Amino acid sequence: MRLEMFVACLFLLPGIAKSWYNAVLDFPSEPSVDNFVMWTPIETIDMQEALSVCSWVKPTKSDTRNRFWLSYQPIGSSNDLQEINMCDNLGATALFSTSTGTPAQHLESNKWHHVCMTWSLSDQTVRVYLAGKEVSSKTTAANRKFGKRGVFVLGQEQDRVGGSFDVNQAFIGELYQLNMYSRALSGEEVERAFNRGLCASSDPSIARDITIAWQDVLAAPRNGEVRIKRGTCSHWNLVSDYIDRDLLQHLIKYHDH
C-alpha cells in the first residue's frame, strides 16, 4: 500500500498530470489550405527585443516542397513584411522577411527533430539550431524590433495576414512542445533542451521565460482536419526527473504487474 501511495503521489508532481503532456498536434497527410491553427490578435510585447521559438517537428511527407509549420505576421502588414517563417526546409526559415542564411535541408520525414530559432536586438543576430547544434547565424537590421501585435498560424504560410494560403506550402506532419520565449536562449540552453529529449518536461531554468506555451497552442482554434492525438511518451519519462534510474525501473516493473 505504501508503494502504491508513493506512485500515486509521483504522478501529482508539477507537470506530470497536465493534459497537455503527450498531446501532439497532427496535420493530415492530405494537404489542404483548410488545415491550420490560428490565434489572433495576440500581443507579443514581451518579444519585441528578443525571442526564441523551439519545437519538436516531425514531417510525415517526403517531397521537395517547402511546407511551413509556423508563420507570424503583424496586423496591417503585407506578404513582404512577415516576421517569422518556420519550414520543414531549414533553408526557407526566415525572420523579418529575410532568410536566416540556413543551408537548404529538408527535415527527414517520419522522424522527430528539435528545431530552434533565437534572436535578440542587442546583438542583432538570428540563429537557427537543429538537434541542439547551431546551423546558421546572421546579422539582422539595427533597431529592427519584432511586431508586437499580430497573427500566428501553424501549418500554413501567410501571403496576407491570416490567409491567402497555398496548398503546396501546407505542412504535413506533427508538432509537439512548441514554446516561445521572451529572450534569446543561449546555445548551451538549446542543446540542453534537445538532450532532455522529446518526452521530458520543460527545462525549469528556461520555463520561466516562456511567453507562449504549448498549452496555449493546444487551446488555440483548430481548423479543417487538424487534431490533437496522443503521442508515444509515457508519464514515467517525467517521473525520471525526480527519482534515480534504479528506483524508476523498479516502479515501472511494479506498476506493470
Side-chain angles (χ1 to χ4, degrees):
M1 179 62 71
R2 289 182 179 179
L3 187 55
E4 291 173 346
M5 291 181 63
F6 177 66
V7 172
C9 289
L10 280 175
F11 286 102
L12 293 176
L13 288 168
I16 292 181
K18 301 297 185 182
S19 61
W20 50 263
Y21 180 73
N22 201 32
V24 173
L25 266 183
D26 178 60
F27 295 80
S29 58
E30 187 64 33
S32 169
V33 295
D34 296 324
N35 298 329
F36 61 92
V37 176
M38 180 189 300
W39 62 107
T40 177
I42 188 165
E43 299 288 344
T44 57
I45 192 167
D46 290 342
M47 299 187 291
Q48 275 196 282
E49 297 187 2
L51 62 87
S52 297
V53 182
C54 294
S55 184
W56 289 91
V57 183
K58 184 171 79 170
T60 54
K61 183 177 179 63
S62 178
D63 61 19
T64 58
R65 299 188 185 279
N66 294 336
R67 300 190 177 278
F68 293 85
W69 52 271
L70 181 148
S71 67
Y72 173 78
Q73 279 194 259
I75 299 295
S77 68
S78 60
N79 183 44
D80 60 353
L81 291 176
Q82 293 173 337
E83 300 288 76
I84 296 179
N85 274 334
M86 305 288 284
C87 185
D88 64 358
N89 173 12
L90 295 184
T93 300
L95 180 72
F96 303 144
S97 303
T98 303
S99 168
T100 58
T102 310
Q105 177 184 351
H106 281 272
L107 300 177
E108 183 180 346
S109 61
N110 298 306
K111 178 181 178 181
W112 283 107
H113 305 268
H114 189 257
V115 180
C116 285
M117 180 172 70
T118 69
W119 165 79
S120 75
L121 178 64
S122 61
D123 68 3
Q124 299 175 36
T125 303
V126 57
R127 293 180 169 86
V128 176
Y129 298 83
L130 175 64
K133 302 298 183 183
E134 182 179 311
V135 293
S136 70
S137 64
K138 187 175 181 179
T139 301
T140 57
N143 301 318
R144 178 63 159 89
K145 292 186 177 183
F146 189 71
K148 68 177 181 179
R149 189 170 186 267
V151 176
F152 275 102
V153 173
L154 302 182
Q156 306 283 348
E157 191 259 0
Q158 304 174 69
D159 281 345
R160 63 172 173 78
V161 178
S164 291
F165 304 142
D166 182 341
V167 67
N168 292 318
Q169 297 176 329
F171 179 67
I172 300 171
E174 300 174 4
L175 299 177
Y176 184 56
Q177 288 284 28
L178 192 165
N179 293 293
M180 299 190 70
Y181 302 82
S182 58
R183 64 179 179 86
L185 300 180
S186 69
E188 291 79 10
E189 289 171 324
V190 172
E191 184 174 24
R192 187 166 62 243
F194 165 70
N195 288 335
R196 287 173 66 84
L198 172 72
C199 296
S201 59
S202 297
D203 185 344
S205 66
I206 61 175
R208 62 179 178 273
D209 297 306
I210 293 176
T211 187
I212 298 176
W214 180 233
Q215 51 265 47
D216 302 321
V217 175
L218 294 176
R222 298 184 301 278
N223 298 271
E225 300 300 318
V226 180
R227 66 189 180 104
I228 295 175
K229 72 175 190 178
R230 307 312 297 176
T232 58
C233 295
S234 164
H235 282 82
W236 290 112
N237 295 110
L238 293 181
V239 172
S240 65
D241 284 347
Y242 300 93
I243 58 179
D244 66 51
R245 185 181 300 273
D246 290 340
L247 178 57
L248 175 61
Q249 294 304 315
H250 178 70
L251 290 173
I252 292 174
K253 183 178 180 180
Y254 169 82
H255 186 268
D256 290 343
H257 286 78

